Amino acid sequence: MNLTKLFDMQRVLNERIMDKHPELKGQNNLDWKILALQVELGELANNWRGFKKWSNDQEPRTAVICESCRGSGGYYNTFKSMKEKKNKVVCKHCNGWGIVKGANPLLEEYVDCLHFILSIGLELKAEKLVVWSVQESESIIDMFNRVFMQISVIQSCMESRATIIQTHYSILVDLFVELGQMLGFTWEQIEAAYMSKNAVNHQRQESGY
C-alpha cells in the first residue's frame, strides 16, 4: 500500500476546489471535512447493509442493475414471445450481463470516504504516516464503529498538539484500510477506483458542479 501517489492527486484536486471556491482559502476547513467523512462513511455502511438486522435484504450493493432490461440481460421482442419464453434479444445497454459492467456502489462509497480521509490528512500535514498495528475486529460492524469513534477522537483533539492529532490520524487510516480489506477490496481495486472517481471529481469542478 502506497498512499503517496493518492495524497499527491488529492492535493491537486483540493487546490482546484480552492480555486473554484476562494472563500475557503485561509480558513480552517477541517470541521466540515470531518462531517463530510462521517456522512460518506454512513453511506458506505448503508450500501454494505450488514447492520440492517431488521431486514431480509442484507446483501452488499456491489453491482448496479441495468435499467433497460431490469437485470434480465435481455428482452423479448414481442409480448407473444415473452409469454412463450422465446425470441429473447440481448440487451444492448448491458450486453446481456444484466448489470452495469464495472459499477460497484460499495467500492465507490469507500473511495468517496478515502477522498475525505486524504483531504483531512493534508489539512493535518500528516502525509507521512506512521504504521500502526491495529488489532483485528471481530466483525465489520465493530470496525465501522471503530472508524466512527476514531473520527470523533480526531475531532475532539483538533486544538491539541500536531503530533497528537497526527498520531490519531494514522490510526484512522489503518482502521479504514483494514475495513476495506474486511469488505473484500484489494488495494489494487481501491487505488483504481480512487483514480477513476478523482477524474470524475475534476470533471465536476470543470462543469460547475
Side-chain angles (χ1 to χ4, degrees), residues 16-53:
R16 188 168 191 182
I17 291 172
M18 289 291 184
D19 288 340
K20 291 285 185 177
H21 302 275
E23 70 277 7
L24 297 176
K25 293 182 178 180
Q27 71 175 42
N28 181 3
N29 294 301
L30 193 56
D31 53 354
W32 63 264
K33 289 183 179 182
I34 287 176
L35 176 58
L37 174 57
Q38 291 171 323
V39 171
E40 294 296 346
L41 189 62
E43 292 182 3
L44 174 63
N46 197 47
N47 275 274
W48 172 59
R49 298 186 66 82
F51 69 95
K52 301 191 176 190
K53 303 302 182 182

PDB file of all heavy atoms in Angstrom, residues 16-53:
ATOM      1  N   ARG A  16      -7.637  22.719  -6.773  1.00  0.00           N
ATOM      2  CA  ARG A  16      -8.607  23.114  -7.794  1.00  0.00           C
ATOM      3  C   ARG A  16      -9.918  23.550  -7.158  1.00  0.00           C
ATOM      4  O   ARG A  16     -10.546  24.519  -7.595  1.00  0.00           O
ATOM      5  CB  ARG A  16      -8.841  21.955  -8.763  1.00  0.00           C
ATOM      6  CG  ARG A  16      -9.684  22.347  -9.964  1.00  0.00           C
ATOM      7  CD  ARG A  16      -9.656  21.306 -11.031  1.00  0.00           C
ATOM      8  NE  ARG A  16     -10.253  21.794 -12.260  1.00  0.00           N
ATOM      9  CZ  ARG A  16     -10.397  21.076 -13.347  1.00  0.00           C
ATOM     10  NH1 ARG A  16      -9.955  19.825 -13.371  1.00  0.00           N
ATOM     11  NH2 ARG A  16     -10.960  21.587 -14.419  1.00  0.00           N
ATOM     12  N   ILE A  17     -10.339  22.821  -6.125  1.00  0.00           N
ATOM     13  CA  ILE A  17     -11.557  23.190  -5.417  1.00  0.00           C
ATOM     14  C   ILE A  17     -11.393  24.558  -4.763  1.00  0.00           C
ATOM     15  O   ILE A  17     -12.312  25.396  -4.782  1.00  0.00           O
ATOM     16  CB  ILE A  17     -11.898  22.118  -4.359  1.00  0.00           C
ATOM     17  CG1 ILE A  17     -12.331  20.817  -5.062  1.00  0.00           C
ATOM     18  CG2 ILE A  17     -13.008  22.602  -3.418  1.00  0.00           C
ATOM     19  CD1 ILE A  17     -12.502  19.635  -4.125  1.00  0.00           C
ATOM     20  N   MET A  18     -10.221  24.820  -4.191  1.00  0.00           N
ATOM     21  CA  MET A  18      -9.955  26.118  -3.575  1.00  0.00           C
ATOM     22  C   MET A  18     -10.018  27.239  -4.592  1.00  0.00           C
ATOM     23  O   MET A  18     -10.522  28.337  -4.305  1.00  0.00           O
ATOM     24  CB  MET A  18      -8.581  26.102  -2.903  1.00  0.00           C
ATOM     25  CG  MET A  18      -8.503  25.254  -1.652  1.00  0.00           C
ATOM     26  SD  MET A  18      -9.443  25.954  -0.297  1.00  0.00           S
ATOM     27  CE  MET A  18      -9.050  24.815   1.014  1.00  0.00           C
ATOM     28  N   ASP A  19      -9.510  26.978  -5.787  1.00  0.00           N
ATOM     29  CA  ASP A  19      -9.559  27.998  -6.836  1.00  0.00           C
ATOM     30  C   ASP A  19     -10.997  28.296  -7.257  1.00  0.00           C
ATOM     31  O   ASP A  19     -11.347  29.437  -7.571  1.00  0.00           O
ATOM     32  CB  ASP A  19      -8.738  27.547  -8.049  1.00  0.00           C
ATOM     33  CG  ASP A  19      -7.240  27.580  -7.784  1.00  0.00           C
ATOM     34  OD1 ASP A  19      -6.827  28.291  -6.848  1.00  0.00           O
ATOM     35  OD2 ASP A  19      -6.494  26.877  -8.496  1.00  0.00           O
ATOM     36  N   LYS A  20     -11.823  27.254  -7.259  1.00  0.00           N
ATOM     37  CA  LYS A  20     -13.233  27.427  -7.631  1.00  0.00           C
ATOM     38  C   LYS A  20     -14.050  28.034  -6.496  1.00  0.00           C
ATOM     39  O   LYS A  20     -15.097  28.638  -6.725  1.00  0.00           O
ATOM     40  CB  LYS A  20     -13.838  26.070  -8.027  1.00  0.00           C
ATOM     41  CG  LYS A  20     -13.306  25.506  -9.330  1.00  0.00           C
ATOM     42  CD  LYS A  20     -13.892  26.248 -10.530  1.00  0.00           C
ATOM     43  CE  LYS A  20     -13.459  25.599 -11.828  1.00  0.00           C
ATOM     44  NZ  LYS A  20     -14.069  26.269 -13.007  1.00  0.00           N
ATOM     45  N   HIS A  21     -13.566  27.849  -5.275  1.00  0.00           N
ATOM     46  CA  HIS A  21     -14.271  28.351  -4.089  1.00  0.00           C
ATOM     47  C   HIS A  21     -13.281  29.135  -3.219  1.00  0.00           C
ATOM     48  O   HIS A  21     -12.881  28.663  -2.153  1.00  0.00           O
ATOM     49  CB  HIS A  21     -14.891  27.199  -3.307  1.00  0.00           C
ATOM     50  CG  HIS A  21     -15.857  26.377  -4.102  1.00  0.00           C
ATOM     51  ND1 HIS A  21     -17.185  26.722  -4.241  1.00  0.00           N
ATOM     52  CD2 HIS A  21     -15.681  25.239  -4.831  1.00  0.00           C
ATOM     53  CE1 HIS A  21     -17.796  25.825  -5.002  1.00  0.00           C
ATOM     54  NE2 HIS A  21     -16.907  24.921  -5.377  1.00  0.00           N
ATOM     55  N   PRO A  22     -12.887  30.322  -3.648  1.00  0.00           N
ATOM     56  CA  PRO A  22     -11.855  31.093  -2.935  1.00  0.00           C
ATOM     57  C   PRO A  22     -12.227  31.452  -1.509  1.00  0.00           C
ATOM     58  O   PRO A  22     -11.344  31.784  -0.709  1.00  0.00           O
ATOM     59  CB  PRO A  22     -11.688  32.347  -3.804  1.00  0.00           C
ATOM     60  CG  PRO A  22     -12.931  32.430  -4.630  1.00  0.00           C
ATOM     61  CD  PRO A  22     -13.371  31.022  -4.842  1.00  0.00           C
ATOM     62  N   GLU A  23     -13.516  31.391  -1.168  1.00  0.00           N
ATOM     63  CA  GLU A  23     -13.924  31.708   0.204  1.00  0.00           C
ATOM     64  C   GLU A  23     -13.367  30.698   1.210  1.00  0.00           C
ATOM     65  O   GLU A  23     -13.329  30.959   2.427  1.00  0.00           O
ATOM     66  CB  GLU A  23     -15.459  31.741   0.308  1.00  0.00           C
ATOM     67  CG  GLU A  23     -16.163  30.410   0.190  1.00  0.00           C
ATOM     68  CD  GLU A  23     -16.397  29.960  -1.252  1.00  0.00           C
ATOM     69  OE1 GLU A  23     -15.890  30.626  -2.177  1.00  0.00           O
ATOM     70  OE2 GLU A  23     -17.097  28.949  -1.446  1.00  0.00           O
ATOM     71  N   LEU A  24     -12.910  29.527   0.721  1.00  0.00           N
ATOM     72  CA  LEU A  24     -12.355  28.503   1.597  1.00  0.00           C
ATOM     73  C   LEU A  24     -10.889  28.753   1.935  1.00  0.00           C
ATOM     74  O   LEU A  24     -10.356  28.155   2.871  1.00  0.00           O
ATOM     75  CB  LEU A  24     -12.485  27.120   0.938  1.00  0.00           C
ATOM     76  CG  LEU A  24     -13.905  26.620   0.667  1.00  0.00           C
ATOM     77  CD1 LEU A  24     -13.860  25.292  -0.073  1.00  0.00           C
ATOM     78  CD2 LEU A  24     -14.689  26.484   1.964  1.00  0.00           C
ATOM     79  N   LYS A  25     -10.252  29.631   1.195  1.00  0.00           N
ATOM     80  CA  LYS A  25      -8.828  29.894   1.413  1.00  0.00           C
ATOM     81  C   LYS A  25      -8.622  30.673   2.711  1.00  0.00           C
ATOM     82  O   LYS A  25      -9.376  31.581   3.039  1.00  0.00           O
ATOM     83  CB  LYS A  25      -8.247  30.669   0.237  1.00  0.00           C
ATOM     84  CG  LYS A  25      -8.212  29.876  -1.069  1.00  0.00           C
ATOM     85  CD  LYS A  25      -7.569  30.680  -2.184  1.00  0.00           C
ATOM     86  CE  LYS A  25      -7.488  29.854  -3.477  1.00  0.00           C
ATOM     87  NZ  LYS A  25      -6.872  30.592  -4.591  1.00  0.00           N
ATOM     88  N   GLY A  26      -7.592  30.272   3.427  1.00  0.00           N
ATOM     89  CA  GLY A  26      -7.238  30.995   4.634  1.00  0.00           C
ATOM     90  C   GLY A  26      -8.124  30.714   5.833  1.00  0.00           C
ATOM     91  O   GLY A  26      -8.080  31.446   6.824  1.00  0.00           O
ATOM     92  N   GLN A  27      -8.957  29.678   5.753  1.00  0.00           N
ATOM     93  CA  GLN A  27      -9.801  29.334   6.888  1.00  0.00           C
ATOM     94  C   GLN A  27      -9.580  27.883   7.270  1.00  0.00           C
ATOM     95  O   GLN A  27      -8.973  27.116   6.528  1.00  0.00           O
ATOM     96  CB  GLN A  27     -11.279  29.577   6.561  1.00  0.00           C
ATOM     97  CG  GLN A  27     -11.864  28.574   5.560  1.00  0.00           C
ATOM     98  CD  GLN A  27     -13.371  28.765   5.353  1.00  0.00           C
ATOM     99  OE1 GLN A  27     -13.841  29.881   5.260  1.00  0.00           O
ATOM    100  NE2 GLN A  27     -14.087  27.668   5.284  1.00  0.00           N
ATOM    101  N   ASN A  28     -10.091  27.503   8.441  1.00  0.00           N
ATOM    102  CA  ASN A  28      -9.992  26.124   8.904  1.00  0.00           C
ATOM    103  C   ASN A  28     -11.080  25.297   8.220  1.00  0.00           C
ATOM    104  O   ASN A  28     -12.275  25.504   8.456  1.00  0.00           O
ATOM    105  CB  ASN A  28     -10.148  26.063  10.424  1.00  0.00           C
ATOM    106  CG  ASN A  28     -10.020  24.645  10.954  1.00  0.00           C
ATOM    107  OD1 ASN A  28      -9.766  23.702  10.208  1.00  0.00           O
ATOM    108  ND2 ASN A  28     -10.189  24.486  12.242  1.00  0.00           N
ATOM    109  N   ASN A  29     -10.675  24.368   7.373  1.00  0.00           N
ATOM    110  CA  ASN A  29     -11.623  23.532   6.637  1.00  0.00           C
ATOM    111  C   ASN A  29     -11.735  22.129   7.213  1.00  0.00           C
ATOM    112  O   ASN A  29     -12.357  21.255   6.605  1.00  0.00           O
ATOM    113  CB  ASN A  29     -11.202  23.452   5.167  1.00  0.00           C
ATOM    114  CG  ASN A  29     -11.298  24.798   4.473  1.00  0.00           C
ATOM    115  OD1 ASN A  29     -12.367  25.397   4.418  1.00  0.00           O
ATOM    116  ND2 ASN A  29     -10.178  25.289   3.958  1.00  0.00           N
ATOM    117  N   LEU A  30     -11.153  21.934   8.392  1.00  0.00           N
ATOM    118  CA  LEU A  30     -11.129  20.595   8.964  1.00  0.00           C
ATOM    119  C   LEU A  30     -12.502  20.175   9.473  1.00  0.00           C
ATOM    120  O   LEU A  30     -12.881  19.002   9.338  1.00  0.00           O
ATOM    121  CB  LEU A  30     -10.110  20.533  10.104  1.00  0.00           C
ATOM    122  CG  LEU A  30      -9.706  19.151  10.625  1.00  0.00           C
ATOM    123  CD1 LEU A  30      -9.173  18.273   9.501  1.00  0.00           C
ATOM    124  CD2 LEU A  30      -8.669  19.292  11.732  1.00  0.00           C
ATOM    125  N   ASP A  31     -13.263  21.126  10.020  1.00  0.00           N
ATOM    126  CA  ASP A  31     -14.537  20.763  10.643  1.00  0.00           C
ATOM    127  C   ASP A  31     -15.533  20.192   9.636  1.00  0.00           C
ATOM    128  O   ASP A  31     -16.138  19.137   9.860  1.00  0.00           O
ATOM    129  CB  ASP A  31     -15.140  21.957  11.386  1.00  0.00           C
ATOM    130  CG  ASP A  31     -15.259  23.202  10.510  1.00  0.00           C
ATOM    131  OD1 ASP A  31     -14.764  23.187   9.358  1.00  0.00           O
ATOM    132  OD2 ASP A  31     -15.846  24.200  10.989  1.00  0.00           O
ATOM    133  N   TRP A  32     -15.694  20.856   8.484  1.00  0.00           N
ATOM    134  CA  TRP A  32     -16.668  20.355   7.509  1.00  0.00           C
ATOM    135  C   TRP A  32     -16.169  19.111   6.785  1.00  0.00           C
ATOM    136  O   TRP A  32     -16.972  18.273   6.348  1.00  0.00           O
ATOM    137  CB  TRP A  32     -17.076  21.447   6.514  1.00  0.00           C
ATOM    138  CG  TRP A  32     -16.011  22.006   5.620  1.00  0.00           C
ATOM    139  CD1 TRP A  32     -15.284  23.138   5.813  1.00  0.00           C
ATOM    140  CD2 TRP A  32     -15.572  21.469   4.361  1.00  0.00           C
ATOM    141  NE1 TRP A  32     -14.412  23.345   4.770  1.00  0.00           N
ATOM    142  CE2 TRP A  32     -14.570  22.339   3.868  1.00  0.00           C
ATOM    143  CE3 TRP A  32     -15.929  20.341   3.615  1.00  0.00           C
ATOM    144  CZ2 TRP A  32     -13.920  22.121   2.652  1.00  0.00           C
ATOM    145  CZ3 TRP A  32     -15.273  20.117   2.406  1.00  0.00           C
ATOM    146  CH2 TRP A  32     -14.292  20.992   1.935  1.00  0.00           C
ATOM    147  N   LYS A  33     -14.842  18.959   6.674  1.00  0.00           N
ATOM    148  CA  LYS A  33     -14.308  17.744   6.060  1.00  0.00           C
ATOM    149  C   LYS A  33     -14.537  16.533   6.962  1.00  0.00           C
ATOM    150  O   LYS A  33     -14.812  15.427   6.475  1.00  0.00           O
ATOM    151  CB  LYS A  33     -12.823  17.915   5.743  1.00  0.00           C
ATOM    152  CG  LYS A  33     -12.556  18.880   4.601  1.00  0.00           C
ATOM    153  CD  LYS A  33     -11.086  18.983   4.254  1.00  0.00           C
ATOM    154  CE  LYS A  33     -10.867  19.949   3.088  1.00  0.00           C
ATOM    155  NZ  LYS A  33      -9.449  20.042   2.684  1.00  0.00           N
ATOM    156  N   ILE A  34     -14.439  16.725   8.269  1.00  0.00           N
ATOM    157  CA  ILE A  34     -14.719  15.640   9.209  1.00  0.00           C
ATOM    158  C   ILE A  34     -16.189  15.245   9.133  1.00  0.00           C
ATOM    159  O   ILE A  34     -16.535  14.055   9.102  1.00  0.00           O
ATOM    160  CB  ILE A  34     -14.327  16.061  10.638  1.00  0.00           C
ATOM    161  CG1 ILE A  34     -12.800  16.069  10.775  1.00  0.00           C
ATOM    162  CG2 ILE A  34     -14.944  15.112  11.676  1.00  0.00           C
ATOM    163  CD1 ILE A  34     -12.294  16.560  12.114  1.00  0.00           C
ATOM    164  N   LEU A  35     -17.077  16.248   9.081  1.00  0.00           N
ATOM    165  CA  LEU A  35     -18.510  15.950   8.950  1.00  0.00           C
ATOM    166  C   LEU A  35     -18.791  15.222   7.636  1.00  0.00           C
ATOM    167  O   LEU A  35     -19.555  14.249   7.598  1.00  0.00           O
ATOM    168  CB  LEU A  35     -19.317  17.244   9.026  1.00  0.00           C
ATOM    169  CG  LEU A  35     -20.832  17.103   8.817  1.00  0.00           C
ATOM    170  CD1 LEU A  35     -21.435  16.153   9.839  1.00  0.00           C
ATOM    171  CD2 LEU A  35     -21.508  18.473   8.864  1.00  0.00           C
ATOM    172  N   ALA A  36     -18.167  15.688   6.548  1.00  0.00           N
ATOM    173  CA  ALA A  36     -18.360  15.046   5.242  1.00  0.00           C
ATOM    174  C   ALA A  36     -17.899  13.592   5.276  1.00  0.00           C
ATOM    175  O   ALA A  36     -18.551  12.708   4.705  1.00  0.00           O
ATOM    176  CB  ALA A  36     -17.600  15.821   4.165  1.00  0.00           C
ATOM    177  N   LEU A  37     -16.785  13.324   5.957  1.00  0.00           N
ATOM    178  CA  LEU A  37     -16.290  11.951   6.070  1.00  0.00           C
ATOM    179  C   LEU A  37     -17.288  11.083   6.831  1.00  0.00           C
ATOM    180  O   LEU A  37     -17.549   9.935   6.436  1.00  0.00           O
ATOM    181  CB  LEU A  37     -14.926  11.935   6.772  1.00  0.00           C
ATOM    182  CG  LEU A  37     -14.347  10.555   7.092  1.00  0.00           C
ATOM    183  CD1 LEU A  37     -14.222   9.696   5.843  1.00  0.00           C
ATOM    184  CD2 LEU A  37     -12.995  10.691   7.791  1.00  0.00           C
ATOM    185  N   GLN A  38     -17.853  11.617   7.912  1.00  0.00           N
ATOM    186  CA  GLN A  38     -18.836  10.861   8.672  1.00  0.00           C
ATOM    187  C   GLN A  38     -20.068  10.536   7.823  1.00  0.00           C
ATOM    188  O   GLN A  38     -20.604   9.425   7.891  1.00  0.00           O
ATOM    189  CB  GLN A  38     -19.234  11.637   9.929  1.00  0.00           C
ATOM    190  CG  GLN A  38     -18.114  11.722  10.957  1.00  0.00           C
ATOM    191  CD  GLN A  38     -18.453  12.665  12.094  1.00  0.00           C
ATOM    192  OE1 GLN A  38     -19.073  13.702  11.902  1.00  0.00           O
ATOM    193  NE2 GLN A  38     -18.043  12.301  13.297  1.00  0.00           N
ATOM    194  N   VAL A  39     -20.508  11.502   7.026  1.00  0.00           N
ATOM    195  CA  VAL A  39     -21.661  11.279   6.146  1.00  0.00           C
ATOM    196  C   VAL A  39     -21.342  10.197   5.115  1.00  0.00           C
ATOM    197  O   VAL A  39     -22.140   9.280   4.876  1.00  0.00           O
ATOM    198  CB  VAL A  39     -22.073  12.589   5.448  1.00  0.00           C
ATOM    199  CG1 VAL A  39     -23.128  12.323   4.371  1.00  0.00           C
ATOM    200  CG2 VAL A  39     -22.607  13.591   6.463  1.00  0.00           C
ATOM    201  N   GLU A  40     -20.169  10.292   4.493  1.00  0.00           N
ATOM    202  CA  GLU A  40     -19.777   9.312   3.480  1.00  0.00           C
ATOM    203  C   GLU A  40     -19.611   7.919   4.103  1.00  0.00           C
ATOM    204  O   GLU A  40     -19.943   6.909   3.475  1.00  0.00           O
ATOM    205  CB  GLU A  40     -18.484   9.738   2.792  1.00  0.00           C
ATOM    206  CG  GLU A  40     -18.582  11.005   1.951  1.00  0.00           C
ATOM    207  CD  GLU A  40     -19.513  10.859   0.754  1.00  0.00           C
ATOM    208  OE1 GLU A  40     -19.882   9.715   0.404  1.00  0.00           O
ATOM    209  OE2 GLU A  40     -19.878  11.902   0.177  1.00  0.00           O
ATOM    210  N   LEU A  41     -19.103   7.870   5.323  1.00  0.00           N
ATOM    211  CA  LEU A  41     -18.938   6.580   5.998  1.00  0.00           C
ATOM    212  C   LEU A  41     -20.309   5.960   6.272  1.00  0.00           C
ATOM    213  O   LEU A  41     -20.482   4.737   6.156  1.00  0.00           O
ATOM    214  CB  LEU A  41     -18.153   6.758   7.296  1.00  0.00           C
ATOM    215  CG  LEU A  41     -17.711   5.483   8.014  1.00  0.00           C
ATOM    216  CD1 LEU A  41     -16.768   4.658   7.135  1.00  0.00           C
ATOM    217  CD2 LEU A  41     -17.031   5.825   9.339  1.00  0.00           C
ATOM    218  N   GLY A  42     -21.290   6.801   6.614  1.00  0.00           N
ATOM    219  CA  GLY A  42     -22.644   6.307   6.790  1.00  0.00           C
ATOM    220  C   GLY A  42     -23.221   5.756   5.494  1.00  0.00           C
ATOM    221  O   GLY A  42     -23.915   4.734   5.487  1.00  0.00           O
ATOM    222  N   GLU A  43     -22.927   6.429   4.375  1.00  0.00           N
ATOM    223  CA  GLU A  43     -23.397   5.946   3.078  1.00  0.00           C
ATOM    224  C   GLU A  43     -22.716   4.628   2.708  1.00  0.00           C
ATOM    225  O   GLU A  43     -23.338   3.745   2.100  1.00  0.00           O
ATOM    226  CB  GLU A  43     -23.148   7.013   2.013  1.00  0.00           C
ATOM    227  CG  GLU A  43     -24.014   8.258   2.202  1.00  0.00           C
ATOM    228  CD  GLU A  43     -23.793   9.298   1.123  1.00  0.00           C
ATOM    229  OE1 GLU A  43     -23.008   9.048   0.192  1.00  0.00           O
ATOM    230  OE2 GLU A  43     -24.404  10.382   1.228  1.00  0.00           O
ATOM    231  N   LEU A  44     -21.456   4.493   3.086  1.00  0.00           N
ATOM    232  CA  LEU A  44     -20.748   3.228   2.862  1.00  0.00           C
ATOM    233  C   LEU A  44     -21.422   2.102   3.643  1.00  0.00           C
ATOM    234  O   LEU A  44     -21.675   1.020   3.095  1.00  0.00           O
ATOM    235  CB  LEU A  44     -19.284   3.366   3.282  1.00  0.00           C
ATOM    236  CG  LEU A  44     -18.432   2.086   3.246  1.00  0.00           C
ATOM    237  CD1 LEU A  44     -18.323   1.545   1.822  1.00  0.00           C
ATOM    238  CD2 LEU A  44     -17.041   2.352   3.825  1.00  0.00           C
ATOM    239  N   ALA A  45     -21.725   2.354   4.910  1.00  0.00           N
ATOM    240  CA  ALA A  45     -22.402   1.353   5.722  1.00  0.00           C
ATOM    241  C   ALA A  45     -23.774   1.024   5.146  1.00  0.00           C
ATOM    242  O   ALA A  45     -24.197  -0.144   5.144  1.00  0.00           O
ATOM    243  CB  ALA A  45     -22.546   1.848   7.169  1.00  0.00           C
ATOM    244  N   ASN A  46     -24.467   2.032   4.629  1.00  0.00           N
ATOM    245  CA  ASN A  46     -25.791   1.822   4.059  1.00  0.00           C
ATOM    246  C   ASN A  46     -25.733   0.919   2.833  1.00  0.00           C
ATOM    247  O   ASN A  46     -26.642   0.116   2.598  1.00  0.00           O
ATOM    248  CB  ASN A  46     -26.421   3.158   3.697  1.00  0.00           C
ATOM    249  CG  ASN A  46     -27.914   3.065   3.502  1.00  0.00           C
ATOM    250  OD1 ASN A  46     -28.623   2.469   4.312  1.00  0.00           O
ATOM    251  ND2 ASN A  46     -28.413   3.631   2.417  1.00  0.00           N
ATOM    252  N   ASN A  47     -24.672   1.037   2.034  1.00  0.00           N
ATOM    253  CA  ASN A  47     -24.511   0.182   0.865  1.00  0.00           C
ATOM    254  C   ASN A  47     -23.994  -1.208   1.249  1.00  0.00           C
ATOM    255  O   ASN A  47     -24.195  -2.157   0.498  1.00  0.00           O
ATOM    256  CB  ASN A  47     -23.568   0.831  -0.151  1.00  0.00           C
ATOM    257  CG  ASN A  47     -24.281   1.789  -1.063  1.00  0.00           C
ATOM    258  OD1 ASN A  47     -24.831   1.415  -2.086  1.00  0.00           O
ATOM    259  ND2 ASN A  47     -24.309   3.075  -0.684  1.00  0.00           N
ATOM    260  N   TRP A  48     -23.350  -1.325   2.405  1.00  0.00           N
ATOM    261  CA  TRP A  48     -22.925  -2.636   2.888  1.00  0.00           C
ATOM    262  C   TRP A  48     -24.127  -3.423   3.415  1.00  0.00           C
ATOM    263  O   TRP A  48     -24.261  -4.614   3.148  1.00  0.00           O
ATOM    264  CB  TRP A  48     -21.873  -2.484   3.985  1.00  0.00           C
ATOM    265  CG  TRP A  48     -21.549  -3.774   4.655  1.00  0.00           C
ATOM    266  CD1 TRP A  48     -21.054  -4.910   4.068  1.00  0.00           C
ATOM    267  CD2 TRP A  48     -21.735  -4.082   6.038  1.00  0.00           C
ATOM    268  NE1 TRP A  48     -20.911  -5.913   5.006  1.00  0.00           N
ATOM    269  CE2 TRP A  48     -21.320  -5.422   6.224  1.00  0.00           C
ATOM    270  CE3 TRP A  48     -22.193  -3.359   7.140  1.00  0.00           C
ATOM    271  CZ2 TRP A  48     -21.362  -6.049   7.466  1.00  0.00           C
ATOM    272  CZ3 TRP A  48     -22.234  -3.981   8.375  1.00  0.00           C
ATOM    273  CH2 TRP A  48     -21.819  -5.308   8.526  1.00  0.00           C
ATOM    274  N   ARG A  49     -25.000  -2.767   4.180  1.00  0.00           N
ATOM    275  CA  ARG A  49     -26.291  -3.276   4.625  1.00  0.00           C
ATOM    276  C   ARG A  49     -26.222  -4.364   5.703  1.00  0.00           C
ATOM    277  O   ARG A  49     -27.247  -4.808   6.203  1.00  0.00           O
ATOM    278  CB  ARG A  49     -27.126  -3.819   3.442  1.00  0.00           C
ATOM    279  CG  ARG A  49     -27.472  -2.782   2.403  1.00  0.00           C
ATOM    280  CD  ARG A  49     -28.416  -3.333   1.351  1.00  0.00           C
ATOM    281  NE  ARG A  49     -29.714  -3.657   1.913  1.00  0.00           N
ATOM    282  CZ  ARG A  49     -30.687  -2.779   2.117  1.00  0.00           C
ATOM    283  NH1 ARG A  49     -30.509  -1.504   1.805  1.00  0.00           N
ATOM    284  NH2 ARG A  49     -31.841  -3.160   2.635  1.00  0.00           N
ATOM    285  N   GLY A  50     -25.043  -4.790   6.089  1.00  0.00           N
ATOM    286  CA  GLY A  50     -24.931  -5.896   7.034  1.00  0.00           C
ATOM    287  C   GLY A  50     -25.438  -5.590   8.432  1.00  0.00           C
ATOM    288  O   GLY A  50     -25.670  -6.508   9.223  1.00  0.00           O
ATOM    289  N   PHE A  51     -25.611  -4.312   8.744  1.00  0.00           N
ATOM    290  CA  PHE A  51     -26.105  -3.942  10.072  1.00  0.00           C
ATOM    291  C   PHE A  51     -27.635  -3.924  10.127  1.00  0.00           C
ATOM    292  O   PHE A  51     -28.219  -3.771  11.211  1.00  0.00           O
ATOM    293  CB  PHE A  51     -25.577  -2.557  10.481  1.00  0.00           C
ATOM    294  CG  PHE A  51     -26.164  -1.426   9.671  1.00  0.00           C
ATOM    295  CD1 PHE A  51     -27.266  -0.724  10.139  1.00  0.00           C
ATOM    296  CD2 PHE A  51     -25.619  -1.073   8.442  1.00  0.00           C
ATOM    297  CE1 PHE A  51     -27.816   0.316   9.399  1.00  0.00           C
ATOM    298  CE2 PHE A  51     -26.162  -0.047   7.700  1.00  0.00           C
ATOM    299  CZ  PHE A  51     -27.267   0.653   8.175  1.00  0.00           C
ATOM    300  N   LYS A  52     -28.293  -4.100   8.977  1.00  0.00           N
ATOM    301  CA  LYS A  52     -29.745  -3.995   8.912  1.00  0.00           C
ATOM    302  C   LYS A  52     -30.391  -5.321   9.313  1.00  0.00           C
ATOM    303  O   LYS A  52     -31.006  -6.019   8.502  1.00  0.00           O
ATOM    304  CB  LYS A  52     -30.184  -3.554   7.518  1.00  0.00           C
ATOM    305  CG  LYS A  52     -29.596  -2.200   7.127  1.00  0.00           C
ATOM    306  CD  LYS A  52     -30.230  -1.631   5.889  1.00  0.00           C
ATOM    307  CE  LYS A  52     -29.663  -0.233   5.597  1.00  0.00           C
ATOM    308  NZ  LYS A  52     -30.403   0.471   4.553  1.00  0.00           N
ATOM    309  N   LYS A  53     -30.252  -5.647  10.594  1.00  0.00           N
ATOM    310  CA  LYS A  53     -30.719  -6.933  11.104  1.00  0.00           C
ATOM    311  C   LYS A  53     -32.236  -7.071  11.030  1.00  0.00           C
ATOM    312  O   LYS A  53     -32.764  -8.179  11.132  1.00  0.00           O
ATOM    313  CB  LYS A  53     -30.240  -7.119  12.548  1.00  0.00           C
ATOM    314  CG  LYS A  53     -28.724  -7.031  12.719  1.00  0.00           C
ATOM    315  CD  LYS A  53     -27.997  -8.057  11.852  1.00  0.00           C
ATOM    316  CE  LYS A  53     -26.495  -7.992  12.061  1.00  0.00           C
ATOM    317  NZ  LYS A  53     -25.760  -8.942  11.206  1.00  0.00           N
TER     318      LYS A  53
END
